[in-house]
Amino acid sequence: MRYTDPYGLDTTIAIARDTYTSNSVTGTISVSSDRIADTFSGYHLENRRPPNPQLPVPAGTYDAFVDQRAGRKDRIELFNVPNATDVQIHLGNFPNDAEGCFLPGTTRAADFVGNSARAMDAILDIVKRDGGKIKVIVSGGP
Amino acid sequence: MKTALIVLVSSVAILLGCAATSAQDRTGATIQAIPTAPTLDTYLGLRSAFHGDKDSCREVGANTSEASAVIVEMIEGGDAVALRAGLLVFRCWDGGLLGDFFRATGQYFDREPRGFVGLLDGYLMSRTDVQSLVATLPEGAVDDLDEQIRILRSRRASLASYSSFSWLATELENEALRREALKAQAR
C-alpha cells in the first residue's frame, strides 16, 4: 500500500500484518516521506494477547506524534485508538515487550523481531527530517 | 430581605465550593500526590480513594499519562511507595505506559527481590500479572540476547528460595532457553 500526500507534509508509516501465531502478530512496516527521499522497510511484531481486550489495534489510519521523554529512545504514539491509550511504536524483540504496541525490527522469526533499535532509529530519522504530520496506516485484522 | 438573600446565596456558594474541592483536598487521594509526598500515609490515602474501576482510575488521576509516567520513573529508581501505588492502579494503564511499568517493576525486582516478593502478597494478582511484573526486561537489553539471558537467569536465581514462585522460575528459564535457541539459529 502506498499513501501519497499532495501537500508534501506527511510521513506515512504503513504496517501490514501477515503472520499470526498464538502469541504474536508480525508483518511488514514501511516508512516514506513526501519531503525526503529516504525510506525504511522492515518488520513489526505485536503481542497477540495484551491485557487490554480491545487491542491489538484495529485496522485503520491514525494520526501520530513523536513521544519524547528524557532517558529513553523517542517513540511514535498513535492518536485516537478506540478504547485504548498510549499505543506506540517502540523498542522490543518479543511479544512480552509490548502491551498492545508495535515493535519494529529489520529481521523476524517466530514471535521475534531483531535489530529493533536500528529500525527505530531509521523510522525516527525519516519522521524528524520530514518534520510534518505523521500518519500510521494499519492493515490486516488484529 | 435583600441582606438575607445575599447571605443565603453566599452560603450556598461556599457549600458548593467546598464540595467541589473536597476530593482533591483528601491527602493522597490522587496519584499526583505520590511524587510530592512519597509516604505510606499518602499511599493509604490513594488506596482508600481507589476502587479498581474505570471511574476510579479517573478520580485518582491514573488515567493521565503524565502523572502515571512519573510514578513509573520513581519505581525504576527504587521507590517503594511508588511501587505500591503502581501495583494498586496499573490496571488503569495501557500500551507503552503499561509496558514501561512492567519494565520498571522488573528493574525494582533486580534491586530488591525480597522486598518485591513481600509486597506482592498485599495485592490480588493473576499469574500472568506476576509474570509480566517480574519477567519484562529493561529497554536497555533490547537486541542483546546475551544480556537478556543473563537478566532472566539472575531473576530466576533470586526466586530460588520461594517455593510458591517455582512456576515463575521455570517460566524465566524457558524464556532464557528461547533466546539461546534464537542465538543458535542465527549462527
Side-chain angles (χ1 to χ4, degrees):
Chain A
M1 185 187 303
R2 171 90 186 160
Y3 174 87
T4 55
D5 165 33
Y7 304 105
L9 291 173
D10 287 359
T11 298
T12 303
I13 302 174
I15 292 172
R17 295 164 170 144
D18 60 28
T19 305
Y20 299 78
T21 73
S22 57
N23 296 318
S24 75
V25 184
T26 56
T28 57
I29 180 166
S30 50
V31 184
S32 60
S33 156
D34 287 347
R35 186 169 286 189
I36 63 168
D38 290 353
T39 60
F40 170 78
S41 292
Y43 301 99
H44 88 280
L45 178 143
E46 297 164 73
N47 184 339
R48 187 94 189 261
R49 292 175 296 186
N52 181 345
Q54 305 298 320
L55 295 173
V57 173
T61 300
Y62 302 89
D63 290 329
F65 66 99
V66 179
D67 179 36
Q68 296 178 302
R69 292 223 171 108
R72 65 152 211 225
K73 195 178 280 294
D74 293 347
R75 300 172 177 182
I76 310 285
E77 184 163 321
L78 281 62
F79 282 115
N80 298 323
V81 175
N83 304 307
T85 56
D86 297 290
V87 174
Q88 301 167 337
I89 301 171
H90 67 71
L91 294 183
N93 302 125
F94 294 93
N96 59 7
D97 291 328
E99 306 296 340
C101 297
F102 300 95
L103 310 177
T106 66
T107 63
R108 71 169 157 174
D111 299 331
F112 173 79
V113 284
N115 299 323
S116 190
R118 196 186 303 167
M120 195 73 219
D121 284 342
I123 294 167
L124 287 168
D125 181 60
I126 294 169
V127 164
K128 288 178 181 177
R129 284 199 290 138
D130 178 281
K133 294 176 186 169
I134 307 166
K135 285 224 179 297
V136 178
I137 303 170
V138 180
S139 60
Chain B
M1 180 66 186
K2 192 177 173 185
T3 308
L5 189 64
I6 289 168
V7 169
L8 180 68
V9 168
S10 303
S11 304
V12 169
I14 289 165
L15 278 173
L16 286 175
C18 289
T21 56
S22 64
Q24 286 87 351
D25 288 346
R26 257 179 281 148
T27 307
T30 65
I31 63 163
Q32 284 90 339
I34 299 286
T36 316
T39 65
L40 204 53
D41 279 348
T42 317
Y43 164 74
L44 291 173
L46 175 66
R47 199 177 69 175
S48 66
F50 183 68
H51 309 296
D53 52 57
K54 288 283 171 202
D55 287 342
S56 201
C57 290
R58 222 178 353 263
E59 282 161 19
V60 302
N63 61 326
T64 67
S65 297
E66 282 312 313
S68 304
V70 174
I71 300 289
V72 170
E73 280 170 23
M74 290 172 72
I75 296 168
E76 219 173 85
D79 190 293
V81 173
L83 175 62
R84 284 172 187 266
L87 291 173
L88 187 70
V89 304
F90 78 89
R91 291 182 188 85
C92 298
W93 297 339
D94 204 0
L97 176 64
L98 182 60
D100 286 339
F101 170 67
F102 290 143
R103 281 180 275 279
T105 55
Q107 285 172 277
Y108 190 102
F109 178 85
D110 291 335
R111 285 169 187 246
E112 195 66 50
R114 185 178 295 192
F116 187 89
V117 169
L119 269 182
L120 284 185
D121 278 343
Y123 301 86
L124 193 62
M125 298 276 172
S126 67
R127 280 195 171 191
T128 307
D129 289 338
V130 174
Q131 188 170 343
S132 296
L133 291 165
V134 176
T136 307
L137 298 170
E139 208 167 83
V142 167
D143 298 333
D144 186 344
L145 293 180
D146 288 324
E147 178 63 359
Q148 292 179 21
I149 292 165
R150 187 196 67 74
I151 296 170
L152 287 164
R153 294 211 160 119
S154 162
R155 291 180 185 176
R156 185 199 62 184
S158 296
L159 288 170
S161 57
Y162 300 96
S163 58
S164 57
F165 287 100
S166 59
W167 65 271
L168 181 55
T170 304
E171 292 292 342
L172 292 170
E173 180 59 20
N174 288 341
E175 286 290 326
L177 290 172
R178 275 185 62 206
R179 283 157 176 81
E180 285 190 338
L182 267 169
K183 278 177 60 187
Q185 264 178 35
R187 274 188 212 121

